Amino acid sequence: MKLTAKIKLLPTPEQAQNLIDTLSRANQACNALSEIAWENKQFKQFGLHKLAYYPIKEQFGLSAQMIVRGIAKVVDAYKLDKKTKREFRPTGAIAYDSRIISYKPPRKTVSIWTIQGRQSIRYAGGEHNEALLKFQQGESDLLCRKGKWFLLATCDVPDEQTSEINSILGVDLGIVDLATDSDGQRFTGSEIRKYRKKRASIRASVQAKKNAKASKSTIKNTRRLLKRISKKEQTTSTIINHTISKRLVKKAQSSVRGIALENLKGIRDRTVPRLRKKQRNEHSSWPFSQLRQFIAYKAQLAGVRLVIVPPAYTSKTCHECHHLGHRSGKSFTCTNCGNCSDADHNGAQNIAAVGASVTWPENSTLYCALHRC
Ligand SMILES: [Zn+2]
């Protein structure tokens, strides 16, 4: 499985300047290559290489691999459309391959080619990246965002051997509790809810100021502030999604279970009308697709089987007697057997049951029961 590790570099000020110069020189070379491609109507890798490799190498003093990557970047850019001449920003990302970059995880440094020669630059690495970097293979993109330097490193992670499983842990994703599993455990800290409520009220008051008669500069400032708030919310929800998915996968792994998730095309359509507006605002914009992705790849990394089940009736069926019941907000009542329980827990138990009924294809970690793929 191909995954990308996002590595934050910690260059010294001189190293940072060096990276800027390298990025800018490489993009200048790309512009020169683009010019040659455009003039000669030569948009193929081999043809452009033949035409431009030596003159560009001579002119820009870049390493051979840099030029080769540059030619690939230009050819790639013309693939979409050959009717507009391509230009590249001086800070556009550039690709490094293993000949001009190497990672040294024990020392948390990366050895990277620059126009001042090879540099050994420190990087910040979390647990997740450390694990991924062991499988680093192929290209890395060097990019600069708001003065911070990152490497996006391609990692080819081997699939863990999947072990035999005893049963299935069903997971219901919902808006009030972000996730509820079939054991009845809920994955929503009240802190998250409080945090988002507070954010929402700040957002509302800023919005109100923006709507009131305000000068141009005030509008500009509030717009900036709103953007900052949403960025911060995004970071927070990503961290929370990482935490929830990690806990779910660990739980399944330690109890020798697989995980069943609903195919959630319509989580919003399904859940939103049930909720009062106040509740809706708290989580309706939650990045559920990201949460599902995180569960999927963490499960695969850990060798935990994951099955995607069709969502039909899982929220409306009674898990005890399989009759249709009533769901109102967070509570579920069955008119047939009298079962009365938490709606999401009931849903998660149904999902687990559907997941357990699936016949797994051999040697596969991920199985989509919906499309049988
Ligand atoms: Zn029932």
Side-chain angles (χ1 to χ4, degrees):
M1 181 183 25
K2 288 251 193 322
L3 292 169
T4 306
K6 189 177 181 185
I7 314 280
K8 188 180 177 190
L9 290 176
L10 306 168
T12 63
E14 298 98 276
Q15 284 176 331
Q17 188 54 49
N18 207 340
L19 290 176
I20 292 175
D21 296 343
T22 305
L23 212 57
S24 132
R25 180 89 64 88
N27 281 299
Q28 277 167 25
C30 285
N31 282 330
L33 283 164
S34 174
E35 182 84 44
I36 295 174
W38 180 253
E39 292 289 316
N40 297 281
K41 297 284 167 238
Q42 180 52 265
F43 304 116
K44 293 223 163 68
Q45 175 100 22
F46 182 75
L48 186 57
H49 188 109
K50 219 172 144 194
L51 264 178
Y53 177 82
Y54 285 108
I56 295 293
K57 192 165 188 311
E58 185 93 341
Q59 185 184 348
F60 290 93
L62 292 166
S63 86
Q65 277 312 309
M66 275 281 181
I67 310 274
V68 173
R69 297 325 314 160
I71 292 172
K73 179 172 166 172
V74 172
V75 168
D76 220 39
Y78 278 109
K79 257 185 199 147
L80 281 173
D81 146 33
K82 296 177 178 58
K83 291 188 184 99
T84 352
K85 189 171 148 191
R86 291 293 189 280
E87 270 180 52
F88 302 92
R89 288 176 299 119
T91 54
I94 52 169
Y96 276 79
D97 73 10
S98 58
R99 270 163 285 197
I100 42 181
I101 195 165
S102 57
Y103 296 87
K104 315 265 189 256
R107 276 179 281 155
K108 289 201 173 185
T109 58
V110 58
S111 161
I112 182 170
W113 187 92
T114 73
I115 50 172
Q116 302 292 340
R118 280 259 184 179
Q119 297 276 321
S120 175
I121 299 180
R122 284 197 318 121
Y123 64 80
E127 193 189 329
H128 177 63
N129 280 335
E130 293 282 286
L132 284 181
L133 272 185
K134 284 187 202 138
F135 308 108
Q136 203 279 322
Q137 216 174 65
E139 290 188 356
S140 298
D141 283 336
L142 173 70
L143 57 132
C144 183
R145 290 272 174 283
K146 291 183 184 161
K148 294 189 177 108
W149 290 90
F150 297 96
L151 283 165
L152 301 182
T154 312
C155 305
D156 196 2
V157 182
D159 294 346
E160 272 291 320
Q161 278 297 327
T162 49
S163 44
E164 282 305 307
I165 45 173
N166 295 332
S167 59
I168 292 281
L169 180 68
V171 179
D172 188 56
L173 303 184
I175 284 180
V176 180
D177 288 315
L178 294 176
T180 306
D181 69 24
S182 48
D183 296 347
Q185 188 179 354
R186 291 172 196 181
F187 295 82
T188 312
S190 51
E191 326 84 63
I192 306 170
R193 237 178 282 170
K194 257 187 239 156
Y195 170 80
R196 291 186 62 95
K197 253 186 196 161
K198 198 175 137 206
R199 290 276 150 195
S201 80
I202 294 174
R203 184 181 288 274
S205 86
V206 174
Q207 197 76 48
K209 257 184 218 142
K210 195 176 146 198
N211 292 342
K213 274 189 184 163
S215 69
K216 254 190 190 159
S217 72
T218 317
I219 290 180
K220 207 171 162 191
N221 283 338
T222 52
R223 201 176 289 154
R224 217 175 278 154
L225 185 60
L226 284 171
K227 209 169 160 188
R228 217 169 61 214
I229 293 173
S230 89
K231 185 88 195 156
K232 203 160 177 195
E233 271 189 20
Q234 227 176 57
T235 315
T236 312
S237 52
T238 301
I239 293 171
I240 291 167
N241 280 345
H242 267 304
T243 314
I244 294 176
S245 51
K246 194 168 160 183
R247 280 165 66 197
L248 277 167
V249 170
K250 268 219 169 110
K251 185 175 187 179
Q253 191 179 29
S254 62
S255 54
V256 205
R257 284 186 282 186
I259 294 179
L261 269 181
E262 260 183 320
N263 183 44
L264 271 193
K265 202 179 131 257
I267 185 171
R268 291 201 179 89
D269 325 336
R270 190 166 61 79
T271 30
V272 166
R274 291 206 311 261
L275 301 168
R276 277 171 288 126
K277 198 176 171 203
K278 213 178 106 209
Q279 280 179 317
R280 225 184 292 162
N281 286 340
E282 285 165 25
H283 286 137
S284 61
S285 59
W286 194 262
F288 283 105
S289 59
Q290 185 194 50
L291 177 56
R292 289 159 50 78
Q293 271 169 22
F294 284 1
I295 296 175
Y297 91 74
K298 285 188 167 73
Q300 193 151 13
L301 278 178
V304 167
R305 289 188 171 203
L306 175 72
V307 60
I308 308 292
V309 304
Y313 306 119
T314 49
S315 66
K316 292 175 198 142
T317 310
C318 168
H319 81 272
E320 297 273 2
C321 70
H322 310 298
H323 277 76
L324 283 180
H326 289 294
R327 170 163 198 170
S328 145
K330 277 288 281 168
S331 74
F332 178 88
T333 20
C334 174
T335 43
N336 184 52
C337 72
N339 163 29
C340 184
S341 57
D342 176 90
D344 292 333
H345 184 198
N346 179 63
Q349 282 166 301
N350 285 327
I351 293 168
V354 178
S357 70
V358 161
T359 324
W360 287 84
E362 213 148 301
N363 294 328
S364 156
T365 342
L366 178 68
Y367 180 58
C368 166
L370 194 62
H371 306 110
R372 304 196 182 285
C373 55

